[in-house]
Amino acid sequence: MEGPPWKKLKLSLERPYKDDNGEPIPELLDITPDGHHIYRPREDPTAAVGTRLRRVFLERGIDFFEAEKGTHTTLRDSKDAPEEGDATQDEGKAAEPSHLMTPEELYKMRVELMSALYTAHGEMCQARDLLTLLLSSSLPNQPSALPPTPLAATVVTKPAPVVSVQAFNAQLAIGGKDKALRSAADLFKNAAEQMEQGRVSGEKYWVDALKIRRGNWGLIPAPLPLGSATGKGADKTSKDFLISYGLEESPASFRRRAIGRMSTSDGTSLEFPMRQRTRLRVSIIRVSPDGSRHATYNVLSDPDDGTLDGALRAAQAEIVEQEVFSALIREASSLPTASAEVSERLIVIDAAQSTELRFELVDGESLRNDDGKLDSYCDLLYSLLHILLSRAHRVSKSTRLNKASIAPVPIVQLPPVLLPVIDILQYREFWERVRDEIDRVVAALRLAGVSTKVHYDPVADSGETLVANLLNDEPKPIGGDALLRLDDRHTLRFTTASPSTLIVHLPQATLPIASISQLTQLLVDEVCGGLLSRICEMGTGLCERVNGTWFVDLLSGRSVGRWEGCVLNFQINFTGDTVSCTASRSGRDTRPSLVEAYRPGGQLSLFEWVRHTIESSLGR
């Protein structure tokens, strides 16, 4: 197994003396406290050689330069005044006082001379041996009459290599040096790149930390690495940050999983070690009368747009949805008005008749939204779950803060998350059934040509009021109303409340409706009564010249008109989705006989047919 490249690299031990530009590298001696560098001054080579030669003569004990100078001076003086010296020689000798050397001065002079003599003796012996060696090597074949010398040498000359071998050796040496230099250059280059990457990574780390803090995400100190000193006096300061993106009042298991860290080792900015990458999908499955199943889903958007804030929002959405799913599992077994099936990642609830509600944790990375199966109502339920979870957290926080007070705090039950969703879904199904019944009656009246207006308002409150109501500790049920107006005269008003409360407001009473069949019968009775009253008004206006009398018989459900010699009856019937009317006429002594019956879809409307029937009866 090959080791790292720097272990194979062999660097020269020679100290570099020139830089890349060929300039001499000065030798650094010291650095002052203010940052000034002090270098060794450069020496002149000529002066250095002179100094070394002077030391040679000084170490031999004699200053040849001074001796030579003194010799020249003495010779010059002697040449200039030879006679004067001779004349005054005798006088000088007579005037010079006599001086005798002491033993100490004699010993000192002896030591100095002996050292110089020993040095000279050594040099003479070395010169003698060298001359003997040179003489013996220059004349190897001649008989020597000289005595054998103690030092003899034999000179062996190595034969010169072949030119090709010399070229190969030169190439090998140059190639080895080039490889070593390139390896050294690559090593320094890699080290420089790693240092630069470390610097850039460190700067990016702190810039990302400031961006995350500016986005109001929670930064907490990271735990100390394994093996760190934790004793007394040890440095326990954290050198790293962790990011907490979970909700404040979430359970401890979810808060521990909602932890991210900023990475400095690789290119990614954030790491989520416990992220599961699952999303919550809300789906509603309806079963039509023919047995076919139609499923709709909510839209799952990806908030990760490549930025730090987007990555944290995506991770937070996943952990919040997992907490919502955990709350749904906890409440699914105790629903009062629905049955549920719970598995590890799926909750199936029979919320209403022919309606199935599903909550599922799906893989967020491979999720695709099918445009043909998206439903805004599923989006409403998905958003409502987050609102209800926020309400539960708010109640939990207020309870936790109240426990710190001295006054006794009553036990507060956390508001449910799943039950309001079931109530809203059941309310929607109930409202749709009520609307279908009203629409069926309205369609029948419009087919008969009766002017009918209807107005529906399933949720009477605005969006802000509805959200504020859901966030209350004791939310009020969601309510709405429906208004039905016949021929701009007779009005029916209905009010509803979640999950399945319906109240009809009549002029004479306010009645609760317990079933759809009761609602159907009430609509038929009220619509028939309104139509019969309208027929009486028309008959009274047409029979004014014959003093006719019109009234509504509530027991038999007929509109009766009487005048001299004739009795005319109208009766309204609902057959399926149509309105029919029959008219019968009788005299004083005859039984009522059927005149004709009205069927919708013709050229005449119901009231036009009634008018035509009354006028024809008056003409008889």
Side-chain angles (χ1 to χ4, degrees), residues 393-579:
H393 284 183
R394 182 177 57 81
V395 174
S396 175
K397 182 178 180 179
S398 61
T399 304
R400 177 173 56 83
L401 295 178
N402 291 334
K403 287 182 180 180
S405 61
I406 301 177
V409 179
I411 299 176
V412 179
Q413 184 71 22
L414 294 180
V417 177
L418 180 58
L419 185 59
V421 175
I422 301 298
D423 291 344
I424 290 178
L425 186 59
Q426 291 178 351
Y427 176 69
R428 181 197 181 191
E429 299 295 330
F430 166 72
W431 181 265
E432 288 183 354
R433 291 198 299 270
V434 171
R435 184 169 182 170
D436 290 341
E437 292 297 325
I438 297 176
D439 288 343
R440 185 175 61 84
V441 174
V442 170
L445 292 174
R446 289 177 178 175
L447 183 62
V450 180
S451 176
T452 308
K453 296 180 181 180
V454 62
H455 174 72
Y456 298 110
D457 192 4
V459 181
D461 297 330
S462 61
E464 294 79 2
T465 306
L466 179 61
V467 173
N469 182 33
L470 292 174
L471 291 176
N472 289 333
D473 297 342
E474 297 180 359
K476 299 179 181 179
I478 300 174
D481 57 2
L483 190 63
L484 177 63
R485 189 172 182 82
L486 302 176
D487 198 27
D488 298 331
R489 296 173 182 270
H490 189 65
T491 302
L492 287 178
R493 180 172 175 266
F494 299 91
T495 57
T496 58
S498 62
S500 59
T501 302
L502 177 63
I503 299 176
V504 58
H505 300 270
L506 302 175
Q508 63 276 13
T510 299
L511 302 177
I513 304 299
S515 62
I516 297 298
S517 59
Q518 184 181 358
L519 173 62
T520 303
Q521 186 62 40
L522 175 67
L523 288 173
V524 170
D525 294 342
E526 292 297 325
V527 169
C528 290
L531 295 178
L532 293 176
S533 299
R534 175 60 175 158
I535 292 174
C536 289
E537 292 179 5
M538 293 178 60
T540 301
L542 294 174
C543 298
E544 186 178 2
R545 57 186 178 85
V546 294
N547 295 326
T549 303
W550 288 83
F551 62 93
V552 177
D553 188 0
L554 298 178
L555 296 178
S556 59
R558 295 180 301 172
S559 178
V560 181
R562 294 179 180 179
W563 62 87
E564 186 178 357
C566 181
V567 177
L568 186 60
N569 300 325
F570 290 94
Q571 187 173 4
I572 303 295
N573 297 316
F574 274 87
T575 56
D577 295 338
T578 59
V579 177

Side-chain angles (χ1 to χ4, degrees), residues 195-234:
M195 293 177 63
E196 181 65 17
Q197 290 177 0
R199 184 189 65 81
V200 174
S201 178
E203 291 181 357
K204 187 174 184 299
Y205 180 87
W206 290 108
V207 170
D208 293 344
L210 293 176
K211 289 181 180 179
I212 293 172
R213 188 66 190 92
R214 185 173 56 188
N216 290 330
W217 296 100
L219 288 179
I220 58 178
L224 296 176
L226 296 177
S228 300
T230 58
K232 183 177 181 181

Side-chain angles (χ1 to χ4, degrees), residues 140-385:
N141 297 326
Q142 296 179 2
S144 177
L146 298 175
T149 58
L151 181 61
T154 304
V155 178
V156 180
T157 305
K158 182 179 179 180
V162 186
V163 178
S164 61
V165 176
Q166 293 181 2
F168 178 76
N169 293 337
Q171 292 177 359
L172 185 62
I174 294 173
K177 293 183 178 179
D178 180 71
K179 183 178 179 180
L181 292 175
R182 289 182 182 274
S183 300
D186 292 339
L187 180 62
F188 287 123
K189 182 179 180 182
N190 293 334
E193 290 178 354
Q194 292 179 1
M195 293 177 63
E196 181 65 17
Q197 290 177 0
R199 184 189 65 81
V200 174
S201 178
E203 291 181 357
K204 187 174 184 299
Y205 180 87
W206 290 108
V207 170
D208 293 344
L210 293 176
K211 289 181 180 179
I212 293 172
R213 188 66 190 92
R214 185 173 56 188
N216 290 330
W217 296 100
L219 288 179
I220 58 178
L224 296 176
L226 296 177
S228 300
T230 58
K232 183 177 181 181
D235 185 10
K236 302 178 183 179
T237 306
S238 176
K239 304 300 188 300
D240 199 358
F241 293 109
L242 294 181
I243 307 168
S244 176
Y245 54 86
L247 300 182
E248 182 181 1
E249 297 299 324
S250 298
S253 59
F254 291 98
R255 291 201 305 270
R256 284 194 296 266
R257 287 159 51 186
I259 295 295
R261 64 169 179 261
M262 295 186 296
S263 174
T264 57
S265 58
D266 52 5
T268 57
S269 298
L270 295 178
E271 293 180 355
F272 304 99
M274 305 185 68
R275 185 175 178 181
Q276 298 182 358
R277 299 187 182 278
T278 56
R279 299 296 303 274
L280 178 63
R281 168 179 278 181
V282 180
S283 59
I284 298 177
I285 301 177
R286 296 175 180 271
V287 181
S288 58
D290 57 355
S292 61
R293 297 168 63 89
H294 179 67
T296 56
Y297 309 98
N298 64 307
V299 178
L300 290 178
S301 59
D302 188 9
D304 190 359
D305 54 358
T307 61
L308 295 174
D309 189 72
L312 289 173
R313 289 185 183 278
Q316 186 184 55
E318 293 177 5
I319 197 67
V320 170
E321 291 173 3
Q322 293 168 14
E323 183 180 354
V324 169
F325 189 80
S326 176
L328 297 179
I329 291 179
R330 186 171 57 251
E331 299 179 13
S333 59
S334 59
L335 291 176
T337 59
S339 60
E341 298 179 4
V342 180
S343 62
E344 183 180 1
R345 287 195 172 190
L346 179 64
I347 302 176
V348 181
I349 301 175
D350 294 331
Q353 183 180 2
S354 302
T355 302
E356 187 178 273
L357 178 62
R358 289 193 174 195
F359 302 99
E360 183 179 4
L361 285 179
V362 297
D363 189 4
E365 294 182 350
S366 60
L367 182 64
R368 295 182 179 178
N369 292 320
D370 189 358
D371 295 339
K373 296 183 179 181
L374 300 180
D375 187 10
S376 59
Y377 196 76
C378 295
D379 295 336
L380 175 62
L381 297 182
Y382 173 80
S383 303
L384 182 60
L385 290 173

